[in-house]
Amino acid sequence: MQDWSRLTLAPLFKRRVFSSTQQDETLTRVSEALKDHRLTWKSGRVDAELNRGRFGSLTVCTLRYGAEVHIEPDRLQDFMLVQVPLRGRACIECGDDRVDATPDCAAVIAPNRPLRLHWEAGCEQLLLKIPRGKLEAIGRRAFGDAADRPLDFSPALRLDNPIGAAWRSMVTGMIHLLPTLDDGAPRPPAAWLEHIEDTLILHLLYNQPNTWQHHAGTAPSEPRRLTLAESYMRAHLSAPLTLPDIARHAGASATVLTRLFQEHRDTTPMNALRALRLDTARQQLKSDAAVSVTEVALGVGFGHLGRFSEYYRERFGELPRETRRSGG
């Protein structure tokens, strides 16, 4: 694809994480950079390379294995992934759907889709990783309560039409800006960078068919016990809540409440509580320059600062201090 030539992607190719001709090293380094996975080597010579850049909460990579490979990462869980071959082809199985990915057809992989991939020899792909927390925060702004539902996408994203070409151009523009984020470089305004990041995600949410679009404005009322549980969580974020505590105040057993969260939120009650705490912490870090990261963590119920930072980065793609430094 001419628009994504190596010259065009030069700012990303200058950010090499590793290159290798060894199978074990390649599996270890890709697992560290992206996600644990099972990797079966097929025909061809190992000639692996990973390049990676970060733009706000987003991670953009190029990856090749050289050889033909079969990849089984299971569900992504904590992030959404867009894959588009720069060279070669790949077969991407998302649940019951199959995408024959080429430079003209990307794959949009939702966090909870079962996933298997087969890359032909010589395939090199551009990967865009979007943290689930960022996705959900923007989804709520765009679709309201509909974004509380599990997210699923139609996985085939055509890039050879005007809508796909526009998205491709946005990604290219983001990559061109990577050098401005290096230490010592003149840095554009943080609010403008975040606008670019958000717009790229909104493009996918508005233009690629998904469940949030489908249910926007038509979502049925939630079960009362689920609503009560979430209201109790929001009112007691700093308290040492347990599942029995939450269930009791919602008027349900722990088993029933867990089932309600799984059916309507695609998560568990305690994971939902952690997400609420982290979202609240992010809002505070962006809006109140006087409060410290430690105070924010304690205020939303995290007694262990290291664990708070780990969970925060997992959800938003950056550390709490980086949110503070960006100035919101």
Side-chain angles (χ1 to χ4, degrees):
M1 177 177 288
Q2 185 176 3
D3 286 355
W4 276 350
S5 66
R6 293 188 72 86
L7 179 61
T8 300
L9 299 178
L12 182 54
F13 281 110
K14 291 178 180 178
R15 288 165 160 74
R16 183 170 298 178
V17 176
F18 82 95
S19 61
S20 178
T21 58
Q22 303 300 314
Q23 293 182 2
D24 291 345
E25 180 187 16
T26 298
L27 174 60
T28 298
R29 298 298 297 275
V30 175
S31 294
E32 291 172 349
L34 294 172
K35 186 185 186 299
D36 287 336
H37 60 285
R38 296 178 295 280
L39 184 63
T40 304
W41 295 92
K42 302 291 186 178
S43 61
R45 182 174 64 90
V46 179
D47 180 24
E49 181 179 294
L50 174 69
N51 303 285
R52 179 180 62 200
R54 291 194 173 93
F55 191 96
S57 66
L58 306 181
T59 302
V60 60
C61 306
T62 64
L63 174 62
R64 73 166 187 260
Y65 290 98
E68 177 186 6
V69 293
H70 183 76
I71 309 162
E72 295 184 69
D74 296 323
R75 289 169 171 81
L76 302 178
Q77 297 290 358
D78 297 320
F79 61 94
M80 186 181 91
L81 192 66
V82 183
Q83 291 193 16
V84 53
L86 301 172
R87 295 186 293 120
R89 305 173 66 92
C91 172
I92 300 173
E93 296 180 18
C94 302
D96 295 329
D97 293 318
R98 168 178 167 150
V99 179
D100 291 317
T102 69
D104 287 332
C105 184
V108 181
I109 306 164
N112 286 315
R113 278 266 189 153
L115 181 62
R116 294 188 301 176
L117 311 102
H118 188 92
W119 294 22
E120 68 177 20
C123 181
E124 184 170 32
Q125 296 215 43
L126 182 78
L127 311 176
L128 179 68
K129 182 177 177 182
I130 305 173
R132 185 170 182 164
K134 180 72 172 181
L135 193 66
E136 291 174 347
I138 292 179
R140 290 190 193 99
R141 297 206 306 263
F143 301 120
D145 291 342
D148 289 331
R149 291 172 171 269
L151 175 63
D152 197 10
F153 276 92
S154 175
L157 170 62
R158 298 300 312 185
L159 299 175
D160 53 359
N161 59 35
I163 296 296
W167 184 82
R168 186 180 64 213
S169 295
M170 291 167 62
V171 175
T172 302
M174 179 186 71
I175 291 171
H176 287 170
L177 286 170
L178 288 175
T180 70
L181 307 181
D182 294 337
D183 291 340
R187 192 180 183 91
W192 180 67
L193 293 173
E194 185 171 12
H195 175 75
I196 293 173
E197 178 185 356
D198 291 358
T199 302
L200 192 149
I201 298 171
L202 280 169
H203 184 101
L204 291 175
L205 290 176
Y206 280 129
N207 293 292
Q208 189 66 8
N210 63 77
T211 51
W212 290 352
Q213 286 179 9
H214 177 73
H215 291 288
T218 62
S221 59
E222 302 287 1
R224 182 171 180 273
R225 288 174 293 185
L226 182 66
T227 304
L228 286 172
E230 291 180 326
S231 296
Y232 183 72
M233 289 177 184
R234 291 189 182 95
H236 299 84
L237 289 180
S238 63
L241 298 181
T242 66
L243 178 55
D245 290 334
I246 300 168
R248 184 172 61 255
H249 283 84
S253 69
T255 300
V256 168
L257 189 64
T258 298
R259 176 175 57 78
L260 287 173
F261 270 88
Q262 289 172 338
E263 289 178 357
H264 294 272
R265 298 291 186 262
D266 198 28
T267 189
T268 66
M270 300 312 290
N271 282 344
L273 173 62
R274 185 171 72 194
L276 285 171
R277 285 171 164 164
L278 291 169
D279 290 347
T280 301
R282 186 170 179 82
Q283 292 170 5
Q284 292 177 354
L285 287 169
K286 286 188 168 189
S287 63
D288 188 351
V291 68
S292 69
V293 171
T294 300
E295 289 171 329
V296 168
L298 293 174
V300 294
F302 286 97
H304 190 289
L305 190 59
R307 193 168 295 119
F308 167 68
S309 296
E310 180 182 344
Y311 287 145
Y312 190 97
R313 181 165 189 171
E314 182 181 274
R315 185 160 177 80
F316 300 114
E318 63 182 9
L319 292 170
R321 66 172 181 271
E322 293 172 326
T323 301
R324 165 54 49 75
R325 189 162 58 237
S326 72

mmCIF file of all heavy atoms in Angstrom, residues 153-175:
data_model
loop_
_atom_site.group_PDB
_atom_site.id
_atom_site.type_symbol
_atom_site.label_atom_id
_atom_site.label_comp_id
_atom_site.label_asym_id
_atom_site.label_seq_id
_atom_site.Cartn_x
_atom_site.Cartn_y
_atom_site.Cartn_z
ATOM 1 N N PHE A 153 -17.526 -5.737 17.537
ATOM 2 C CA PHE A 153 -17.421 -5.091 16.238
ATOM 3 C C PHE A 153 -17.655 -6.072 15.110
ATOM 4 O O PHE A 153 -17.364 -7.272 15.235
ATOM 5 C CB PHE A 153 -16.011 -4.506 16.044
ATOM 6 C CG PHE A 153 -15.793 -3.155 16.642
ATOM 7 C CD1 PHE A 153 -15.298 -3.029 17.920
ATOM 8 C CD2 PHE A 153 -16.059 -2.008 15.916
ATOM 9 C CE1 PHE A 153 -15.081 -1.785 18.487
ATOM 10 C CE2 PHE A 153 -15.839 -0.756 16.466
ATOM 11 C CZ PHE A 153 -15.349 -0.643 17.750
ATOM 12 N N SER A 154 -18.160 -5.566 14.002
ATOM 13 C CA SER A 154 -18.004 -6.279 12.739
ATOM 14 C C SER A 154 -16.523 -6.195 12.390
ATOM 15 O O SER A 154 -15.989 -5.090 12.244
ATOM 16 C CB SER A 154 -18.852 -5.607 11.657
ATOM 17 O OG SER A 154 -18.629 -6.205 10.406
ATOM 18 N N PRO A 155 -15.822 -7.327 12.292
ATOM 19 C CA PRO A 155 -14.349 -7.241 12.324
ATOM 20 C C PRO A 155 -13.671 -6.772 11.044
ATOM 21 O O PRO A 155 -12.526 -6.326 11.107
ATOM 22 C CB PRO A 155 -13.933 -8.678 12.666
ATOM 23 C CG PRO A 155 -15.070 -9.527 12.224
ATOM 24 C CD PRO A 155 -16.306 -8.704 12.394
ATOM 25 N N ALA A 156 -14.319 -6.869 9.884
ATOM 26 C CA ALA A 156 -13.638 -6.494 8.641
ATOM 27 C C ALA A 156 -13.752 -4.990 8.396
ATOM 28 O O ALA A 156 -14.848 -4.447 8.289
ATOM 29 C CB ALA A 156 -14.222 -7.263 7.464
ATOM 30 N N LEU A 157 -12.625 -4.304 8.331
ATOM 31 C CA LEU A 157 -12.570 -2.861 8.104
ATOM 32 C C LEU A 157 -11.944 -2.599 6.733
ATOM 33 O O LEU A 157 -10.736 -2.767 6.545
ATOM 34 C CB LEU A 157 -11.737 -2.184 9.207
ATOM 35 C CG LEU A 157 -11.386 -0.706 9.006
ATOM 36 C CD1 LEU A 157 -12.643 0.157 8.946
ATOM 37 C CD2 LEU A 157 -10.452 -0.221 10.115
ATOM 38 N N ARG A 158 -12.779 -2.183 5.770
ATOM 39 C CA ARG A 158 -12.272 -1.887 4.434
ATOM 40 C C ARG A 158 -11.508 -0.565 4.441
ATOM 41 O O ARG A 158 -11.961 0.431 5.003
ATOM 42 C CB ARG A 158 -13.427 -1.790 3.433
ATOM 43 C CG ARG A 158 -14.244 -3.047 3.260
ATOM 44 C CD ARG A 158 -13.449 -4.235 2.770
ATOM 45 N NE ARG A 158 -12.589 -3.938 1.631
ATOM 46 C CZ ARG A 158 -11.870 -4.873 0.986
ATOM 47 N NH1 ARG A 158 -11.923 -6.144 1.396
ATOM 48 N NH2 ARG A 158 -11.106 -4.556 -0.026
ATOM 49 N N LEU A 159 -10.331 -0.570 3.816
ATOM 50 C CA LEU A 159 -9.508 0.633 3.732
ATOM 51 C C LEU A 159 -9.465 1.197 2.320
ATOM 52 O O LEU A 159 -8.786 2.202 2.076
ATOM 53 C CB LEU A 159 -8.086 0.326 4.210
ATOM 54 C CG LEU A 159 -7.972 -0.156 5.658
ATOM 55 C CD1 LEU A 159 -6.530 -0.535 5.978
ATOM 56 C CD2 LEU A 159 -8.471 0.890 6.628
ATOM 57 N N ASP A 160 -10.191 0.547 1.392
ATOM 58 C CA ASP A 160 -10.177 0.978 -0.002
ATOM 59 C C ASP A 160 -11.447 1.748 -0.369
ATOM 60 O O ASP A 160 -11.861 1.768 -1.523
ATOM 61 C CB ASP A 160 -9.984 -0.213 -0.936
ATOM 62 C CG ASP A 160 -11.000 -1.332 -0.686
ATOM 63 O OD1 ASP A 160 -11.839 -1.180 0.224
ATOM 64 O OD2 ASP A 160 -10.934 -2.346 -1.401
ATOM 65 N N ASN A 161 -12.078 2.365 0.641
ATOM 66 C CA ASN A 161 -13.213 3.249 0.379
ATOM 67 C C ASN A 161 -12.944 4.568 1.106
ATOM 68 O O ASN A 161 -11.976 4.675 1.867
ATOM 69 C CB ASN A 161 -14.529 2.598 0.832
ATOM 70 C CG ASN A 161 -14.543 2.259 2.318
ATOM 71 O OD1 ASN A 161 -13.975 2.978 3.129
ATOM 72 N ND2 ASN A 161 -15.179 1.154 2.669
ATOM 73 N N PRO A 162 -13.751 5.614 0.896
ATOM 74 C CA PRO A 162 -13.442 6.926 1.503
ATOM 75 C C PRO A 162 -13.354 6.902 3.025
ATOM 76 O O PRO A 162 -12.476 7.563 3.604
ATOM 77 C CB PRO A 162 -14.604 7.805 1.016
ATOM 78 C CG PRO A 162 -15.022 7.199 -0.278
ATOM 79 C CD PRO A 162 -14.858 5.714 -0.089
ATOM 80 N N ILE A 163 -14.238 6.155 3.703
ATOM 81 C CA ILE A 163 -14.218 6.112 5.163
ATOM 82 C C ILE A 163 -12.942 5.429 5.655
ATOM 83 O O ILE A 163 -12.262 5.914 6.572
ATOM 84 C CB ILE A 163 -15.457 5.376 5.703
ATOM 85 C CG1 ILE A 163 -16.731 6.152 5.346
ATOM 86 C CG2 ILE A 163 -15.353 5.182 7.214
ATOM 87 C CD1 ILE A 163 -16.841 7.504 5.984
ATOM 88 N N GLY A 164 -12.594 4.304 5.038
ATOM 89 C CA GLY A 164 -11.373 3.602 5.429
ATOM 90 C C GLY A 164 -10.122 4.395 5.121
ATOM 91 O O GLY A 164 -9.172 4.415 5.913
ATOM 92 N N ALA A 165 -10.119 5.078 3.982
ATOM 93 C CA ALA A 165 -8.958 5.893 3.614
ATOM 94 C C ALA A 165 -8.765 7.046 4.592
ATOM 95 O O ALA A 165 -7.630 7.416 4.916
ATOM 96 C CB ALA A 165 -9.124 6.421 2.192
ATOM 97 N N ALA A 166 -9.875 7.601 5.087
ATOM 98 C CA ALA A 166 -9.775 8.692 6.065
ATOM 99 C C ALA A 166 -9.152 8.189 7.362
ATOM 100 O O ALA A 166 -8.303 8.866 7.959
ATOM 101 C CB ALA A 166 -11.158 9.277 6.326
ATOM 102 N N TRP A 167 -9.567 7.008 7.808
ATOM 103 C CA TRP A 167 -8.994 6.445 9.033
ATOM 104 C C TRP A 167 -7.496 6.165 8.844
ATOM 105 O O TRP A 167 -6.688 6.465 9.716
ATOM 106 C CB TRP A 167 -9.725 5.165 9.416
ATOM 107 C CG TRP A 167 -9.254 4.593 10.712
ATOM 108 C CD1 TRP A 167 -9.622 4.962 11.972
ATOM 109 C CD2 TRP A 167 -8.285 3.547 10.887
ATOM 110 N NE1 TRP A 167 -8.951 4.216 12.913
ATOM 111 C CE2 TRP A 167 -8.130 3.339 12.273
ATOM 112 C CE3 TRP A 167 -7.539 2.766 9.994
ATOM 113 C CZ2 TRP A 167 -7.259 2.384 12.785
ATOM 114 C CZ3 TRP A 167 -6.667 1.812 10.509
ATOM 115 C CH2 TRP A 167 -6.538 1.633 11.891
ATOM 116 N N ARG A 168 -7.150 5.620 7.674
ATOM 117 C CA ARG A 168 -5.738 5.346 7.386
ATOM 118 C C ARG A 168 -4.918 6.629 7.442
ATOM 119 O O ARG A 168 -3.811 6.662 7.996
ATOM 120 C CB ARG A 168 -5.637 4.692 6.007
ATOM 121 C CG ARG A 168 -4.239 4.214 5.633
ATOM 122 C CD ARG A 168 -4.274 3.579 4.261
ATOM 123 N NE ARG A 168 -4.641 4.537 3.253
ATOM 124 C CZ ARG A 168 -5.332 4.249 2.156
ATOM 125 N NH1 ARG A 168 -5.777 3.026 1.955
ATOM 126 N NH2 ARG A 168 -5.599 5.185 1.260
ATOM 127 N N SER A 169 -5.461 7.721 6.901
ATOM 128 C CA SER A 169 -4.749 8.996 6.919
ATOM 129 C C SER A 169 -4.576 9.517 8.345
ATOM 130 O O SER A 169 -3.537 10.097 8.679
ATOM 131 C CB SER A 169 -5.511 10.029 6.080
ATOM 132 O OG SER A 169 -5.538 9.654 4.720
ATOM 133 N N MET A 170 -5.578 9.288 9.194
ATOM 134 C CA MET A 170 -5.480 9.724 10.586
ATOM 135 C C MET A 170 -4.370 8.974 11.318
ATOM 136 O O MET A 170 -3.610 9.556 12.088
ATOM 137 C CB MET A 170 -6.823 9.511 11.286
ATOM 138 C CG MET A 170 -7.916 10.435 10.785
ATOM 139 S SD MET A 170 -9.568 9.928 11.331
ATOM 140 C CE MET A 170 -9.373 10.081 13.090
ATOM 141 N N VAL A 171 -4.278 7.662 11.072
ATOM 142 C CA VAL A 171 -3.219 6.873 11.703
ATOM 143 C C VAL A 171 -1.850 7.338 11.214
ATOM 144 O O VAL A 171 -0.903 7.479 11.993
ATOM 145 C CB VAL A 171 -3.419 5.377 11.431
ATOM 146 C CG1 VAL A 171 -2.252 4.570 11.984
ATOM 147 C CG2 VAL A 171 -4.722 4.887 12.053
ATOM 148 N N THR A 172 -1.751 7.600 9.909
ATOM 149 C CA THR A 172 -0.492 8.092 9.352
ATOM 150 C C THR A 172 -0.098 9.423 9.993
ATOM 151 O O THR A 172 1.061 9.634 10.358
ATOM 152 C CB THR A 172 -0.613 8.263 7.828
ATOM 153 O OG1 THR A 172 -0.978 7.026 7.232
ATOM 154 C CG2 THR A 172 0.705 8.727 7.228
ATOM 155 N N GLY A 173 -1.061 10.316 10.158
ATOM 156 C CA GLY A 173 -0.775 11.597 10.800
ATOM 157 C C GLY A 173 -0.296 11.433 12.227
ATOM 158 O O GLY A 173 0.613 12.147 12.680
ATOM 159 N N MET A 174 -0.899 10.503 12.949
ATOM 160 C CA MET A 174 -0.474 10.235 14.320
ATOM 161 C C MET A 174 0.976 9.755 14.343
ATOM 162 O O MET A 174 1.779 10.190 15.182
ATOM 163 C CB MET A 174 -1.391 9.190 14.948
ATOM 164 C CG MET A 174 -1.035 8.816 16.376
ATOM 165 S SD MET A 174 -2.060 7.440 17.004
ATOM 166 C CE MET A 174 -1.380 6.074 16.045
ATOM 167 N N ILE A 175 1.319 8.861 13.426
ATOM 168 C CA ILE A 175 2.687 8.343 13.366
ATOM 169 C C ILE A 175 3.681 9.463 13.042
ATOM 170 O O ILE A 175 4.775 9.521 13.607
ATOM 171 C CB ILE A 175 2.773 7.200 12.337
ATOM 172 C CG1 ILE A 175 2.005 5.980 12.860
ATOM 173 C CG2 ILE A 175 4.227 6.834 12.032
ATOM 174 C CD1 ILE A 175 1.831 4.874 11.849
#
